[in-house]
PDB file of all heavy atoms in Angstrom:
ATOM      1  N   GLU A 212      18.427   6.612  -4.646  1.00  0.00           N
ATOM      2  CA  GLU A 212      19.627   7.049  -5.200  1.00  0.00           C
ATOM      3  C   GLU A 212      19.812   8.578  -5.207  1.00  0.00           C
ATOM      4  O   GLU A 212      20.907   9.121  -5.170  1.00  0.00           O
ATOM      5  CB  GLU A 212      19.862   6.468  -6.598  1.00  0.00           C
ATOM      6  CG  GLU A 212      20.007   4.960  -6.556  1.00  0.00           C
ATOM      7  CD  GLU A 212      20.032   4.318  -7.987  1.00  0.00           C
ATOM      8  OE1 GLU A 212      19.772   5.074  -8.906  1.00  0.00           O
ATOM      9  OE2 GLU A 212      20.415   3.067  -8.021  1.00  0.00           O
ATOM     10  N   ASN A 213      18.668   9.279  -5.281  1.00  0.00           N
ATOM     11  CA  ASN A 213      18.699  10.705  -5.274  1.00  0.00           C
ATOM     12  C   ASN A 213      18.702  11.336  -3.960  1.00  0.00           C
ATOM     13  O   ASN A 213      18.882  12.603  -3.763  1.00  0.00           O
ATOM     14  CB  ASN A 213      17.458  11.254  -6.066  1.00  0.00           C
ATOM     15  CG  ASN A 213      17.504  10.976  -7.605  1.00  0.00           C
ATOM     16  OD1 ASN A 213      18.592  10.844  -8.155  1.00  0.00           O
ATOM     17  ND2 ASN A 213      16.371  10.821  -8.211  1.00  0.00           N
ATOM     18  N   SER A 214      18.566  10.657  -2.905  1.00  0.00           N
ATOM     19  CA  SER A 214      18.572  11.102  -1.542  1.00  0.00           C
ATOM     20  C   SER A 214      19.944  11.568  -1.141  1.00  0.00           C
ATOM     21  O   SER A 214      20.988  10.990  -1.596  1.00  0.00           O
ATOM     22  CB  SER A 214      18.049  10.029  -0.578  1.00  0.00           C
ATOM     23  OG  SER A 214      18.143  10.479   0.784  1.00  0.00           O
ATOM     24  N   ASP A 215      19.993  12.576  -0.315  1.00  0.00           N
ATOM     25  CA  ASP A 215      21.285  13.024   0.235  1.00  0.00           C
ATOM     26  C   ASP A 215      21.791  12.036   1.352  1.00  0.00           C
ATOM     27  O   ASP A 215      22.954  12.103   1.737  1.00  0.00           O
ATOM     28  CB  ASP A 215      21.123  14.414   0.940  1.00  0.00           C
ATOM     29  CG  ASP A 215      20.877  15.481  -0.111  1.00  0.00           C
ATOM     30  OD1 ASP A 215      21.281  15.323  -1.273  1.00  0.00           O
ATOM     31  OD2 ASP A 215      20.186  16.497   0.257  1.00  0.00           O
ATOM     32  N   LEU A 216      20.871  11.155   1.733  1.00  0.00           N
ATOM     33  CA  LEU A 216      21.284  10.141   2.804  1.00  0.00           C
ATOM     34  C   LEU A 216      21.742   8.831   2.122  1.00  0.00           C
ATOM     35  O   LEU A 216      21.200   8.531   0.987  1.00  0.00           O
ATOM     36  CB  LEU A 216      20.092   9.855   3.719  1.00  0.00           C
ATOM     37  CG  LEU A 216      19.561  11.036   4.526  1.00  0.00           C
ATOM     38  CD1 LEU A 216      18.339  10.571   5.350  1.00  0.00           C
ATOM     39  CD2 LEU A 216      20.586  11.658   5.475  1.00  0.00           C
ATOM     40  N   SER A 217      22.644   8.044   2.720  1.00  0.00           N
ATOM     41  CA  SER A 217      22.960   6.709   2.242  1.00  0.00           C
ATOM     42  C   SER A 217      21.724   5.812   2.405  1.00  0.00           C
ATOM     43  O   SER A 217      20.797   6.084   3.232  1.00  0.00           O
ATOM     44  CB  SER A 217      24.130   6.190   2.973  1.00  0.00           C
ATOM     45  OG  SER A 217      23.845   5.858   4.318  1.00  0.00           O
ATOM     46  N   THR A 218      21.749   4.677   1.772  1.00  0.00           N
ATOM     47  CA  THR A 218      20.675   3.654   1.895  1.00  0.00           C
ATOM     48  C   THR A 218      20.547   3.285   3.409  1.00  0.00           C
ATOM     49  O   THR A 218      19.354   3.215   3.906  1.00  0.00           O
ATOM     50  CB  THR A 218      20.981   2.445   1.148  1.00  0.00           C
ATOM     51  OG1 THR A 218      21.073   2.862  -0.260  1.00  0.00           O
ATOM     52  CG2 THR A 218      19.827   1.406   1.269  1.00  0.00           C
ATOM     53  N   HIS A 219      21.698   3.070   4.105  1.00  0.00           N
ATOM     54  CA  HIS A 219      21.577   2.658   5.512  1.00  0.00           C
ATOM     55  C   HIS A 219      20.982   3.858   6.349  1.00  0.00           C
ATOM     56  O   HIS A 219      20.209   3.533   7.231  1.00  0.00           O
ATOM     57  CB  HIS A 219      22.976   2.258   5.998  1.00  0.00           C
ATOM     58  CG  HIS A 219      22.999   1.765   7.431  1.00  0.00           C
ATOM     59  ND1 HIS A 219      22.413   0.580   7.731  1.00  0.00           N
ATOM     60  CD2 HIS A 219      23.549   2.298   8.552  1.00  0.00           C
ATOM     61  CE1 HIS A 219      22.592   0.357   9.127  1.00  0.00           C
ATOM     62  NE2 HIS A 219      23.259   1.374   9.553  1.00  0.00           N
ATOM     63  N   GLU A 220      21.367   4.979   6.031  1.00  0.00           N
ATOM     64  CA  GLU A 220      20.824   6.103   6.796  1.00  0.00           C
ATOM     65  C   GLU A 220      19.284   6.278   6.550  1.00  0.00           C
ATOM     66  O   GLU A 220      18.565   6.640   7.444  1.00  0.00           O
ATOM     67  CB  GLU A 220      21.620   7.470   6.366  1.00  0.00           C
ATOM     68  CG  GLU A 220      22.984   7.468   6.903  1.00  0.00           C
ATOM     69  CD  GLU A 220      23.751   8.666   6.316  1.00  0.00           C
ATOM     70  OE1 GLU A 220      23.473   9.070   5.158  1.00  0.00           O
ATOM     71  OE2 GLU A 220      24.738   9.075   6.947  1.00  0.00           O
ATOM     72  N   ILE A 221      18.914   6.005   5.348  1.00  0.00           N
ATOM     73  CA  ILE A 221      17.449   6.102   5.045  1.00  0.00           C
ATOM     74  C   ILE A 221      16.672   5.102   5.829  1.00  0.00           C
ATOM     75  O   ILE A 221      15.672   5.475   6.508  1.00  0.00           O
ATOM     76  CB  ILE A 221      17.236   5.773   3.497  1.00  0.00           C
ATOM     77  CG1 ILE A 221      17.766   6.990   2.695  1.00  0.00           C
ATOM     78  CG2 ILE A 221      15.746   5.549   3.187  1.00  0.00           C
ATOM     79  CD1 ILE A 221      17.801   6.701   1.098  1.00  0.00           C
ATOM     80  N   PHE A 222      17.085   3.826   5.848  1.00  0.00           N
ATOM     81  CA  PHE A 222      16.419   2.847   6.670  1.00  0.00           C
ATOM     82  C   PHE A 222      16.463   3.211   8.157  1.00  0.00           C
ATOM     83  O   PHE A 222      15.522   2.953   8.896  1.00  0.00           O
ATOM     84  CB  PHE A 222      17.010   1.425   6.393  1.00  0.00           C
ATOM     85  CG  PHE A 222      16.463   0.766   5.196  1.00  0.00           C
ATOM     86  CD1 PHE A 222      17.129   0.818   3.999  1.00  0.00           C
ATOM     87  CD2 PHE A 222      15.206   0.155   5.189  1.00  0.00           C
ATOM     88  CE1 PHE A 222      16.698   0.158   2.855  1.00  0.00           C
ATOM     89  CE2 PHE A 222      14.707  -0.440   4.052  1.00  0.00           C
ATOM     90  CZ  PHE A 222      15.459  -0.458   2.881  1.00  0.00           C
ATOM     91  N   THR A 223      17.630   3.737   8.558  1.00  0.00           N
ATOM     92  CA  THR A 223      17.708   4.127   9.997  1.00  0.00           C
ATOM     93  C   THR A 223      16.799   5.232  10.372  1.00  0.00           C
ATOM     94  O   THR A 223      16.024   5.095  11.381  1.00  0.00           O
ATOM     95  CB  THR A 223      19.174   4.482  10.254  1.00  0.00           C
ATOM     96  OG1 THR A 223      20.058   3.408  10.042  1.00  0.00           O
ATOM     97  CG2 THR A 223      19.382   4.911  11.698  1.00  0.00           C
ATOM     98  N   LEU A 224      16.803   6.243   9.606  1.00  0.00           N
ATOM     99  CA  LEU A 224      15.925   7.455   9.955  1.00  0.00           C
ATOM    100  C   LEU A 224      14.408   6.990   9.759  1.00  0.00           C
ATOM    101  O   LEU A 224      13.575   7.386  10.596  1.00  0.00           O
ATOM    102  CB  LEU A 224      16.239   8.604   8.979  1.00  0.00           C
ATOM    103  CG  LEU A 224      15.355   9.902   9.282  1.00  0.00           C
ATOM    104  CD1 LEU A 224      15.483  10.284  10.768  1.00  0.00           C
ATOM    105  CD2 LEU A 224      15.795  10.976   8.407  1.00  0.00           C
ATOM    106  N   ALA A 225      14.140   6.252   8.788  1.00  0.00           N
ATOM    107  CA  ALA A 225      12.775   5.717   8.563  1.00  0.00           C
ATOM    108  C   ALA A 225      12.275   4.979   9.774  1.00  0.00           C
ATOM    109  O   ALA A 225      11.110   5.063  10.196  1.00  0.00           O
ATOM    110  CB  ALA A 225      12.648   4.872   7.337  1.00  0.00           C
ATOM    111  N   SER A 226      13.150   4.258  10.352  1.00  0.00           N
ATOM    112  CA  SER A 226      12.785   3.434  11.563  1.00  0.00           C
ATOM    113  C   SER A 226      12.422   4.344  12.684  1.00  0.00           C
ATOM    114  O   SER A 226      11.536   4.030  13.533  1.00  0.00           O
ATOM    115  CB  SER A 226      13.902   2.461  11.891  1.00  0.00           C
ATOM    116  OG  SER A 226      14.998   3.084  12.542  1.00  0.00           O
ATOM    117  N   ILE A 227      13.219   5.397  12.908  1.00  0.00           N
ATOM    118  CA  ILE A 227      12.923   6.403  14.008  1.00  0.00           C
ATOM    119  C   ILE A 227      11.572   7.109  13.687  1.00  0.00           C
ATOM    120  O   ILE A 227      10.729   7.292  14.554  1.00  0.00           O
ATOM    121  CB  ILE A 227      14.070   7.426  14.097  1.00  0.00           C
ATOM    122  CG1 ILE A 227      15.372   6.626  14.449  1.00  0.00           C
ATOM    123  CG2 ILE A 227      13.697   8.429  15.177  1.00  0.00           C
ATOM    124  CD1 ILE A 227      16.604   7.512  14.443  1.00  0.00           C
ATOM    125  N   VAL A 228      11.380   7.528  12.493  1.00  0.00           N
ATOM    126  CA  VAL A 228      10.134   8.190  12.032  1.00  0.00           C
ATOM    127  C   VAL A 228       8.959   7.209  12.327  1.00  0.00           C
ATOM    128  O   VAL A 228       7.909   7.581  12.858  1.00  0.00           O
ATOM    129  CB  VAL A 228      10.201   8.599  10.574  1.00  0.00           C
ATOM    130  CG1 VAL A 228       8.845   9.015  10.117  1.00  0.00           C
ATOM    131  CG2 VAL A 228      11.195   9.686  10.366  1.00  0.00           C
ATOM    132  N   GLN A 229       9.083   5.978  11.946  1.00  0.00           N
ATOM    133  CA  GLN A 229       8.061   4.961  12.145  1.00  0.00           C
ATOM    134  C   GLN A 229       7.721   4.848  13.538  1.00  0.00           C
ATOM    135  O   GLN A 229       6.485   4.800  13.945  1.00  0.00           O
ATOM    136  CB  GLN A 229       8.549   3.599  11.614  1.00  0.00           C
ATOM    137  CG  GLN A 229       7.470   2.473  11.837  1.00  0.00           C
ATOM    138  CD  GLN A 229       6.363   2.575  10.787  1.00  0.00           C
ATOM    139  OE1 GLN A 229       6.642   2.428   9.566  1.00  0.00           O
ATOM    140  NE2 GLN A 229       5.153   2.728  11.197  1.00  0.00           N
ATOM    141  N   TYR A 230       8.684   4.832  14.460  1.00  0.00           N
ATOM    142  CA  TYR A 230       8.474   4.749  15.907  1.00  0.00           C
ATOM    143  C   TYR A 230       7.762   5.962  16.476  1.00  0.00           C
ATOM    144  O   TYR A 230       6.898   5.885  17.330  1.00  0.00           O
ATOM    145  CB  TYR A 230       9.842   4.529  16.538  1.00  0.00           C
ATOM    146  CG  TYR A 230       9.835   3.766  17.834  1.00  0.00           C
ATOM    147  CD1 TYR A 230      10.938   3.035  18.176  1.00  0.00           C
ATOM    148  CD2 TYR A 230       8.737   3.773  18.690  1.00  0.00           C
ATOM    149  CE1 TYR A 230      11.017   2.300  19.417  1.00  0.00           C
ATOM    150  CE2 TYR A 230       8.781   3.108  19.912  1.00  0.00           C
ATOM    151  CZ  TYR A 230       9.902   2.272  20.256  1.00  0.00           C
ATOM    152  OH  TYR A 230       9.923   1.594  21.432  1.00  0.00           O
ATOM    153  N   GLU A 231       8.109   7.124  15.893  1.00  0.00           N
ATOM    154  CA  GLU A 231       7.649   8.413  16.545  1.00  0.00           C
ATOM    155  C   GLU A 231       6.210   8.719  15.989  1.00  0.00           C
ATOM    156  O   GLU A 231       5.458   9.449  16.754  1.00  0.00           O
ATOM    157  CB  GLU A 231       8.581   9.585  16.169  1.00  0.00           C
ATOM    158  CG  GLU A 231       9.937   9.548  16.916  1.00  0.00           C
ATOM    159  CD  GLU A 231       9.856  10.160  18.270  1.00  0.00           C
ATOM    160  OE1 GLU A 231       8.676  10.401  18.756  1.00  0.00           O
ATOM    161  OE2 GLU A 231      10.911  10.394  18.828  1.00  0.00           O
ATOM    162  N   ALA A 232       5.845   8.380  14.815  1.00  0.00           N
ATOM    163  CA  ALA A 232       4.619   8.866  14.216  1.00  0.00           C
ATOM    164  C   ALA A 232       3.648   7.743  13.990  1.00  0.00           C
ATOM    165  O   ALA A 232       4.055   6.606  13.679  1.00  0.00           O
ATOM    166  CB  ALA A 232       4.898   9.602  12.880  1.00  0.00           C
ATOM    167  N   GLY A 233       2.349   8.063  14.023  1.00  0.00           N
ATOM    168  CA  GLY A 233       1.336   7.039  13.876  1.00  0.00           C
ATOM    169  C   GLY A 233       0.608   7.057  12.553  1.00  0.00           C
ATOM    170  O   GLY A 233      -0.261   6.199  12.256  1.00  0.00           O
ATOM    171  N   ASN A 234       0.858   8.052  11.662  1.00  0.00           N
ATOM    172  CA  ASN A 234       0.164   8.043  10.403  1.00  0.00           C
ATOM    173  C   ASN A 234       1.033   8.834   9.336  1.00  0.00           C
ATOM    174  O   ASN A 234       2.092   9.374   9.660  1.00  0.00           O
ATOM    175  CB  ASN A 234      -1.150   8.849  10.584  1.00  0.00           C
ATOM    176  CG  ASN A 234      -0.995  10.245  11.011  1.00  0.00           C
ATOM    177  OD1 ASN A 234      -0.372  11.077  10.372  1.00  0.00           O
ATOM    178  ND2 ASN A 234      -1.578  10.534  12.173  1.00  0.00           N
ATOM    179  N   LYS A 235       0.631   8.592   8.122  1.00  0.00           N
ATOM    180  CA  LYS A 235       1.499   9.064   6.988  1.00  0.00           C
ATOM    181  C   LYS A 235       1.818  10.537   7.030  1.00  0.00           C
ATOM    182  O   LYS A 235       2.936  11.067   6.858  1.00  0.00           O
ATOM    183  CB  LYS A 235       0.762   8.767   5.655  1.00  0.00           C
ATOM    184  CG  LYS A 235       1.580   9.098   4.430  1.00  0.00           C
ATOM    185  CD  LYS A 235       0.799   8.627   3.199  1.00  0.00           C
ATOM    186  CE  LYS A 235       1.597   8.914   1.919  1.00  0.00           C
ATOM    187  NZ  LYS A 235       1.771  10.310   1.655  1.00  0.00           N
ATOM    188  N   GLU A 236       0.774  11.433   7.397  1.00  0.00           N
ATOM    189  CA  GLU A 236       0.964  12.838   7.472  1.00  0.00           C
ATOM    190  C   GLU A 236       2.016  13.216   8.537  1.00  0.00           C
ATOM    191  O   GLU A 236       2.863  14.063   8.266  1.00  0.00           O
ATOM    192  CB  GLU A 236      -0.406  13.581   7.715  1.00  0.00           C
ATOM    193  CG  GLU A 236      -1.400  13.478   6.533  1.00  0.00           C
ATOM    194  CD  GLU A 236      -1.933  12.088   6.375  1.00  0.00           C
ATOM    195  OE1 GLU A 236      -1.920  11.256   7.362  1.00  0.00           O
ATOM    196  OE2 GLU A 236      -2.466  11.770   5.343  1.00  0.00           O
ATOM    197  N   ASP A 237       1.867  12.609   9.705  1.00  0.00           N
ATOM    198  CA  ASP A 237       2.779  12.903  10.807  1.00  0.00           C
ATOM    199  C   ASP A 237       4.217  12.424  10.422  1.00  0.00           C
ATOM    200  O   ASP A 237       5.228  12.977  10.772  1.00  0.00           O
ATOM    201  CB  ASP A 237       2.350  12.353  12.138  1.00  0.00           C
ATOM    202  CG  ASP A 237       1.319  13.229  12.747  1.00  0.00           C
ATOM    203  OD1 ASP A 237       1.275  14.523  12.577  1.00  0.00           O
ATOM    204  OD2 ASP A 237       0.402  12.764  13.416  1.00  0.00           O
ATOM    205  N   MET A 238       4.265  11.226   9.779  1.00  0.00           N
ATOM    206  CA  MET A 238       5.577  10.732   9.374  1.00  0.00           C
ATOM    207  C   MET A 238       6.262  11.692   8.478  1.00  0.00           C
ATOM    208  O   MET A 238       7.555  11.914   8.685  1.00  0.00           O
ATOM    209  CB  MET A 238       5.404   9.399   8.622  1.00  0.00           C
ATOM    210  CG  MET A 238       5.011   8.218   9.497  1.00  0.00           C
ATOM    211  SD  MET A 238       4.830   6.703   8.601  1.00  0.00           S
ATOM    212  CE  MET A 238       4.136   5.617   9.826  1.00  0.00           C
ATOM    213  N   GLU A 239       5.632  12.328   7.579  1.00  0.00           N
ATOM    214  CA  GLU A 239       6.188  13.294   6.677  1.00  0.00           C
ATOM    215  C   GLU A 239       6.777  14.536   7.458  1.00  0.00           C
ATOM    216  O   GLU A 239       7.901  14.976   7.208  1.00  0.00           O
ATOM    217  CB  GLU A 239       5.182  13.764   5.580  1.00  0.00           C
ATOM    218  CG  GLU A 239       4.780  12.666   4.639  1.00  0.00           C
ATOM    219  CD  GLU A 239       3.708  13.007   3.701  1.00  0.00           C
ATOM    220  OE1 GLU A 239       3.068  14.124   3.971  1.00  0.00           O
ATOM    221  OE2 GLU A 239       3.473  12.305   2.745  1.00  0.00           O
ATOM    222  N   LEU A 240       5.995  14.994   8.421  1.00  0.00           N
ATOM    223  CA  LEU A 240       6.424  16.197   9.168  1.00  0.00           C
ATOM    224  C   LEU A 240       7.497  15.838  10.191  1.00  0.00           C
ATOM    225  O   LEU A 240       8.510  16.603  10.381  1.00  0.00           O
ATOM    226  CB  LEU A 240       5.266  16.850   9.825  1.00  0.00           C
ATOM    227  CG  LEU A 240       4.314  17.565   8.903  1.00  0.00           C
ATOM    228  CD1 LEU A 240       3.124  18.148   9.618  1.00  0.00           C
ATOM    229  CD2 LEU A 240       4.973  18.776   8.185  1.00  0.00           C
ATOM    230  N   VAL A 241       7.401  14.667  10.813  1.00  0.00           N
ATOM    231  CA  VAL A 241       8.455  14.266  11.778  1.00  0.00           C
ATOM    232  C   VAL A 241       9.789  14.046  11.048  1.00  0.00           C
ATOM    233  O   VAL A 241      10.789  14.396  11.551  1.00  0.00           O
ATOM    234  CB  VAL A 241       7.944  12.940  12.455  1.00  0.00           C
ATOM    235  CG1 VAL A 241       9.191  12.326  13.225  1.00  0.00           C
ATOM    236  CG2 VAL A 241       6.857  13.252  13.511  1.00  0.00           C
ATOM    237  N   ALA A 242       9.685  13.470   9.828  1.00  0.00           N
ATOM    238  CA  ALA A 242      10.864  13.285   8.995  1.00  0.00           C
ATOM    239  C   ALA A 242      11.492  14.672   8.685  1.00  0.00           C
ATOM    240  O   ALA A 242      12.733  14.865   8.725  1.00  0.00           O
ATOM    241  CB  ALA A 242      10.521  12.481   7.781  1.00  0.00           C
ATOM    242  N   SER A 243      10.699  15.642   8.444  1.00  0.00           N
ATOM    243  CA  SER A 243      11.119  17.000   8.050  1.00  0.00           C
ATOM    244  C   SER A 243      11.943  17.560   9.275  1.00  0.00           C
ATOM    245  O   SER A 243      12.912  18.219   9.106  1.00  0.00           O
ATOM    246  CB  SER A 243      10.014  17.899   7.624  1.00  0.00           C
ATOM    247  OG  SER A 243       9.221  18.341   8.658  1.00  0.00           O
ATOM    248  N   VAL A 244      11.344  17.297  10.544  1.00  0.00           N
ATOM    249  CA  VAL A 244      12.051  17.834  11.727  1.00  0.00           C
ATOM    250  C   VAL A 244      13.361  17.218  11.850  1.00  0.00           C
ATOM    251  O   VAL A 244      14.386  17.968  12.037  1.00  0.00           O
ATOM    252  CB  VAL A 244      11.160  17.517  13.021  1.00  0.00           C
ATOM    253  CG1 VAL A 244      11.974  17.777  14.228  1.00  0.00           C
ATOM    254  CG2 VAL A 244       9.814  18.306  12.916  1.00  0.00           C
TER     255      VAL A 244
END
Side-chain angles (χ1 to χ4, degrees):
E212 293 175 350
N213 291 332
S214 174
D215 292 332
L216 301 177
S217 69
T218 300
H219 185 66
E220 290 172 333
I221 289 168
F222 278 98
T223 299
L224 183 53
S226 73
I227 299 173
V228 170
Q229 180 77 62
Y230 208 151
E231 288 278 14
N234 58 63
K235 185 176 184 292
E236 292 72 22
D237 281 327
M238 287 179 189
E239 292 173 348
L240 288 174
V241 167
S243 76
V244 170

